Amino acid sequence: MGEIQATQGGPILDAQGFEFAKAFDWAVVRLATYFPVSASKPRLLFGSVSLLTKDRPRPSSSIKTEFHKVGKGKSGKVFFKRTVLSSGDAIAWYRSVGPSGITTPIPTNLSEAQKGDGIDLAPTSFEDDPQWASFGIPLGTDLFSNVGDPGNPAPFRGPGAPRIHRRFGDNTGFEAVIADDSAIKFLKRRIHLDLSDYTEYLGGLALVVPDPILRHIQHFRVSVQYANGPERLILRLIPRPGQKINNLKLTVLERRSNLLSRFDTVDVPSDGLITVESSLPFDQTGYVISHPVQGVIAYQQPLPFIRAVKVSVGVAGRKIRVQAPKTESPRGPIDSYEITEYAQEFPINVGEERHDAIVKVAEAEQRRIRRAAAKQYKQTWFDVGQRNKALVFLREQFARARMSVMVADPYFGARQILQFLHAVPRTQIDFIILTSRLAFEYAETNDAMQDNVTDQTMISPSIEAEDEKLASFSHSLGTLQRRGMKSVTALVLKGETPPLHDRFLVIDDEVLFLGNSLNTLGVRASLILKVPDSEPILAKLKGMTGPSLAIPFETYATQRRNPSTSPSEGT
């Protein structure tokens, strides 16, 4: 069994590892580390090892180690270094790190070595994915879905579709780093990865293995006359200098109406030219190219060809400046903005659109996708007079709670506690109610006023009516406590005008946006939607529960009953 000894004291590579490594001479290691203030050793933050094909010149290592303070230095520093190693040394280093120890790589060219090379990092364990020495090629690697695609599993891999191997490590303890926007930007420019989005890579490593055989793949269709079909698919494989392609296999894929309709494998000829005939217009085509040693070296998911393009060219006309107050206050500041009108617009159409059955299938599929997304995000419209429907829908949402419920609604009062919160069947629930003075200090107004409330439109009730609302709210809270709920916290937002306008319902970690307050949902037409990314919204809502923006209901009630006890700034 063939093997090679690692040159930096790393493990022995097996024959399979040696064979794939022979296609590369050099590699670039991009290594980011984090040194917390309280730690004795820096930690691996993220590292990538990118092998370089033989037609690329050898780059140089970084002149120095760069660093950036985290939390202005209060939470430590992050460091970055680019190091160039031979492919064998780089792979040996990649495989050697683990619970027995991690050392920052030393350049193969020792004249490039610096003080920060060869230092010990805190040891950690890794989980290989896939198993060594197998490699995965990211799906969706095409011009349209690759750029900025959140499903892209390896944004650090660079252009093309190189294969990757990953070693996932301990991704805990980096909260200070991902919370520091400036540190994330510093790292992203250097490791080509946003670690605040790709948190799975925190504390991990990745090996990037490019296609060593092919420099370029051309994939296009041509219209054909006097042939067996209306179109012909052309694939042309262009090798890198010194590489041969006659031992490659190419599999042509075609997807028609969500059906895999073609899976044809052929040997790639020495000229690299493959032609595929079809009796129908091609729909979505792709390919897989494999090598006997390197495995799958290229993949293109089936995609449609661009057959028609519609654009519009506008000729700029006059400029209009508009001035308007920034707020509803008559003494508010004036804002201004400028627009440029279009004097003329010229449509430009290139190519011919398809009008066959495939188009009908695609249109119907998109409708189904939109409807499925609406269902996923609980898009629900309530017409005027559908209060019963709204009550049933909301109680179903409350009933799903397993850990916590939060209601953020400036008009949430005693009746809503009874109408909704008791729909929760479990008692081990943390309740947070975030309401405002608008629920207590004013008589009930016309529904149309609620979204444009000012002191002039509100009708002040008698002291008795306000006391009754406060007592009723306190009593309703007590009904939850008497049921034995884990905790019930009621907070009242400060300010003459509450800092929160919109209404939200949080069930565990799911956030629902409510177009109306719970007391009028279904009385007036309104929409409910589940927030797609609930984490930042939930953080904002929890931030409003702090003492700078809200006070406990008991404190608020005491202040209202005894105005002399109210703080000078008001509530």
Side-chain angles (χ1 to χ4, degrees):
M1 181 175 179
E3 58 183 36
I4 61 170
Q5 183 72 36
T7 59
Q8 289 192 330
I12 295 174
L13 296 179
D14 57 25
Q16 186 180 9
F18 176 68
E19 286 300 319
F20 94 83
K22 286 170 61 177
F24 308 95
D25 290 336
W26 297 101
V28 175
V29 179
R30 292 177 175 85
L31 187 68
T33 56
Y34 173 47
F35 206 149
V37 171
S38 58
S40 59
K41 286 183 178 181
R43 294 185 60 189
L44 170 67
L45 184 55
F46 175 71
S48 67
V49 178
S50 299
L51 302 182
L52 305 180
T53 55
K54 291 181 178 292
D55 57 334
R56 291 189 58 181
R58 175 193 176 280
S60 58
S61 301
S62 297
I63 299 176
K64 62 179 181 179
T65 302
E66 302 176 80
F67 72 91
H68 184 88
K69 295 180 179 178
V70 179
K72 297 182 179 180
K74 296 180 181 179
S75 301
K77 296 178 181 178
V78 292
F79 297 85
F80 171 78
K81 176 75 188 302
R82 186 187 72 245
T83 307
V84 176
L85 285 76
S86 68
S87 60
D89 287 351
I91 295 169
W93 177 84
Y94 177 77
R95 297 303 301 164
S96 69
V97 299
S100 60
I102 304 177
T103 304
T104 59
I106 300 173
T108 299
N109 184 350
L110 295 179
S111 65
E112 296 180 344
Q114 298 175 11
K115 183 178 179 181
D117 298 326
I119 64 172
D120 290 334
L121 304 179
T124 186
S125 299
F126 293 96
E127 180 181 348
D128 283 9
D129 181 55
Q131 67 180 15
W132 183 257
S134 297
F135 306 104
I137 187 163
L139 301 177
T141 51
D142 62 87
L143 178 63
F144 299 103
S145 67
N146 188 29
V147 180
D149 180 7
N152 180 5
F156 48 80
R157 71 184 189 275
R163 298 156 292 162
I164 62 169
H165 181 273
R166 300 176 290 190
R167 306 192 71 191
F168 292 112
D170 180 7
N171 67 348
T172 61
F174 297 106
E175 292 80 8
V177 177
I178 62 178
D180 188 328
D181 290 340
S182 62
I184 290 298
K185 291 178 181 177
F186 168 84
L187 293 166
K188 186 177 181 180
R189 289 194 296 268
R190 291 158 176 82
I191 62 176
H192 312 300
L193 179 67
D194 188 336
L195 288 173
S196 64
D197 278 342
Y198 287 84
T199 54
E200 68 269 30
Y201 282 112
L202 288 167
L205 293 168
L207 176 65
V208 181
V209 184
D211 173 4
I213 310 297
L214 299 175
R215 180 171 63 87
H216 185 58
I217 302 169
Q218 294 178 340
H219 174 206
F220 55 93
R221 68 171 184 90
V222 293
S223 298
V224 181
Q225 294 180 348
Y226 313 114
N228 295 329
E231 292 184 338
R232 180 178 293 160
L233 185 69
I234 307 295
L235 291 113
R236 185 185 177 208
L237 280 56
I238 303 173
R240 298 182 185 275
Q243 298 294 328
K244 296 181 179 181
I245 58 175
N246 52 8
N247 55 354
L248 299 180
K249 290 187 179 294
L250 181 140
T251 300
V252 179
L253 311 172
E254 184 178 8
R255 172 179 169 179
R256 300 185 67 86
S257 307
N258 258 345
L259 303 174
L260 182 61
S261 60
R262 186 186 299 270
F263 192 94
D264 297 336
T265 301
V266 297
D267 293 324
V268 176
S270 58
D271 61 1
L273 192 64
I274 298 98
T275 302
V276 180
E277 305 281 353
S278 176
S279 59
L280 294 173
F282 287 102
D283 186 14
Q284 301 179 45
T285 63
Y287 54 80
V288 178
I289 302 174
S290 59
H291 182 272
V293 173
Q294 298 292 332
V296 175
I297 60 174
Y299 166 75
Q300 170 63 68
Q301 65 171 325
L303 289 171
F305 290 103
I306 299 176
R307 296 175 179 270
V309 177
K310 290 185 177 182
V311 296
S312 179
V313 177
V315 178
R318 62 177 180 173
K319 290 186 177 181
I320 305 294
R321 177 170 291 276
V322 181
Q323 291 187 330
K326 288 186 177 181
T327 65
E328 289 297 310
S329 172
R331 293 182 295 275
I334 300 298
D335 185 28
S336 65
Y337 60 96
E338 192 177 82
I339 60 170
T340 301
E341 293 182 339
Y342 286 115
Q344 286 181 297
E345 286 192 81
F346 302 96
I348 300 176
N349 299 328
V350 180
E352 295 184 4
E353 295 187 57
R354 294 179 62 170
H355 300 284
D356 54 13
I358 296 295
V359 176
K360 298 177 183 179
V361 172
E363 291 174 349
E365 181 184 6
Q366 289 303 311
R367 281 196 301 272
R368 293 193 295 272
I369 290 173
R370 291 193 299 270
R371 289 170 182 171
K375 186 176 181 180
Q376 177 186 357
Y377 293 111
K378 299 186 177 180
Q379 176 182 314
T380 307
W381 176 269
F382 298 101
D383 284 319
V384 174
Q386 290 189 322
R387 179 64 173 170
N388 287 338
K389 178 183 176 183
L391 291 173
V392 171
F393 176 86
L394 287 171
R395 286 169 184 164
E396 288 175 350
Q397 307 311 307
F398 280 100
R400 294 185 302 101
R402 295 181 176 273
M403 297 178 296
S404 62
V405 170
M406 180 180 185
V407 179
D409 181 350
Y411 293 92
F412 191 87
R415 293 175 183 171
Q416 285 70 63
I417 294 176
L418 300 175
Q419 289 168 344
F420 300 111
L421 300 193
H422 280 286
V424 178
R426 298 174 177 85
T427 56
Q428 293 300 308
I429 300 293
D430 294 312
F431 284 91
I432 297 178
I433 299 170
L434 190 60
T435 184
S436 79
R437 63 196 293 267
L438 301 179
F440 309 104
E441 296 182 25
Y442 299 102
E444 295 184 9
T445 62
N446 185 296
D447 290 333
M449 295 182 181
Q450 285 202 5
D451 287 329
N452 191 27
V453 64
T454 67
D455 288 341
Q456 288 72 32
T457 61
M458 298 304 291
I459 304 171
S460 297
S462 64
I463 295 176
E464 290 80 5
E466 183 178 346
D467 284 344
E468 184 179 341
K469 287 186 176 184
L470 294 173
S472 179
F473 192 84
S474 181
H475 173 77
S476 295
L477 286 176
T479 63
L480 288 172
Q481 294 162 348
R482 285 191 290 275
R483 274 190 61 192
M485 294 299 179
K486 182 179 178 182
S487 68
V488 181
T489 303
L491 302 169
V492 180
L493 291 164
K494 294 181 177 181
E496 289 291 324
T497 301
L500 177 69
H501 174 273
D502 293 338
R503 292 79 162 167
F504 298 91
L505 171 60
V506 183
I507 306 297
D508 298 329
D509 293 327
E510 179 182 278
V511 178
L512 293 176
F513 174 81
L514 314 179
N516 276 349
S517 291
L518 274 75
N519 63 347
T520 59
L521 199 68
V523 176
R524 302 160 61 193
S526 187
L527 177 70
I528 286 182
L529 278 174
K530 185 174 78 171
V531 176
D533 185 9
S534 64
E535 187 175 349
I537 307 303
L538 187 55
K540 293 291 186 182
L541 290 173
K542 288 182 177 178
M544 287 190 167
T545 64
S548 62
L549 293 178
I551 60 174
F553 167 75
E554 295 79 7
T555 303
Y556 168 80
T558 300
Q559 293 175 358
R560 294 301 298 174
R561 293 184 180 116
N562 303 285
S564 60
T565 64
S566 300
S568 58
E569 70 271 13
T571 56

